[in-house]
Amino acid sequence: MKLLKCLAAAVLLASAAAIAAESPKPKNVRVYIVRHGRTEWNKEGRLQGQLDVKLDEKGLEQAEKTAERFKNVKLAAVLVSPLSRARVTGEAIAQAAGCENIIADPGFMEINLGAVQGKTMKEVLTSDLAPIAKQWAAAPETVRYPGEGGESLEMVQKRAVEALERLAAPYEGSVVIATHGAAATTILAHYLGSPLTNYWRFKLDNCGVSCVEFNAKGAARVSLMNDTSHLK
């Protein structure tokens, strides 16, 4: 019986691997990755995670300036996180570019920070969650946030890259993804072949624009990172 169970499990794993291998990959497409505009909580240094915090006045201005950057770019699709700060940023870009194809996917959501969501780092450091905050600063790749739905960077990277490749695969030309800091950083780390131990070496500003280009064979290269020239 144990042997049969092991064989069944092996078959299931092999089938899953085969399906993953057969999944279409993006080709001949330029994927722009845009972090959302600023929120009041960004300004305060309050940890948002997957709480739905709206853009503040500055964030709306940043979104409009980013949209202006894309107004002459023919976009095949605008992919967005369902959280309003990213969704509104993406919708502004889509409107400026005349793109009606907007797709929201939870794969692009921010990291779920579990028990620390809604708190400032100062509040976390003076609570019983202080060890997690210190571990996050020293070795972020080792942290999975405690509390309901809490995630690790590896979990975020897996879902964000999967969503990008699944949703960008049908298109050629240019696609925009409006997302969040951790999701964008882990996507870029994946295509650069950079381990998540280097997480803090990446700096992505609000409405900074990065780009991953996929060639005809599906090979990817990062051609732009955190460009904020349109905000000046």
Side-chain angles (χ1 to χ4, degrees):
M1 183 62 72
K2 287 184 178 180
L3 178 59
L4 287 174
K5 287 182 178 179
C6 289
L7 287 172
V11 169
L12 286 172
L13 287 172
S15 298
I19 291 170
E22 293 172 3
S23 298
K25 300 292 184 182
K27 294 179 181 178
N28 296 317
V29 65
R30 184 179 290 110
V31 179
Y32 292 97
I33 301 166
V34 181
R35 187 186 173 200
H36 62 78
R38 195 184 77 173
T39 69
E40 189 66 28
W41 283 20
N42 284 145
K43 184 179 178 182
E44 294 175 4
R46 193 170 293 278
L47 302 167
Q48 298 174 120
Q50 292 188 359
L51 298 180
D52 201 1
V53 185
K54 296 179 180 179
L55 297 178
D56 64 12
E57 186 175 345
K58 178 69 173 179
L60 290 169
E61 178 186 335
Q62 291 172 330
E64 289 302 320
K65 287 183 176 180
T66 308
E68 184 72 13
R69 175 194 180 117
F70 285 98
K71 74 174 184 178
N72 294 319
V73 178
K74 185 176 181 181
L75 297 177
V78 175
L79 314 176
V80 300
S81 158
L83 296 174
S84 66
R85 56 191 185 271
R87 178 177 50 77
V88 170
T89 301
E91 288 172 348
I93 293 170
Q95 183 176 7
C99 177
E100 297 182 356
N101 187 18
I102 303 174
I103 303 170
D105 193 280
F108 299 124
M109 290 176 73
E110 182 58 293
I111 184 172
N112 189 315
L113 297 173
V116 309
Q117 292 187 154
K119 303 179 186 296
T120 65
M121 189 55 71
K122 183 178 180 181
E123 290 169 344
V124 176
L125 288 170
T126 55
S127 73
D128 58 0
L129 294 167
I132 289 292
K134 293 175 181 178
Q135 185 181 351
W136 176 248
E141 77 285 356
T142 66
V143 173
R144 179 173 180 179
Y145 278 95
E148 185 177 356
E151 291 183 297
S152 66
L153 288 174
E154 184 178 6
M155 293 166 70
V156 175
Q157 185 178 60
K158 182 178 180 180
R159 64 168 164 79
V161 170
E162 185 279 329
L164 182 156
E165 295 192 348
R166 169 171 47 84
L167 294 171
Y171 304 108
E172 293 189 354
S174 296
V175 169
V176 163
I177 298 174
T179 184
H180 306 265
T185 298
T186 57
I187 288 171
L188 292 168
H190 172 79
Y191 291 112
L192 286 168
S194 177
L196 293 173
T197 52
N198 292 333
Y199 181 77
W200 292 121
R201 296 188 181 186
F202 290 80
K203 181 178 184 290
L204 299 182
D205 296 306
N206 290 118
C207 279
V209 177
S210 303
C211 185
V212 180
E213 297 182 4
F214 295 86
N215 67 17
K217 294 183 178 180
R221 68 175 182 176
V222 176
S223 58
L224 185 70
M225 188 179 294
N226 196 37
D227 183 15
T228 58
S229 59
H230 52 284
L231 300 178
K232 298 175 182 177

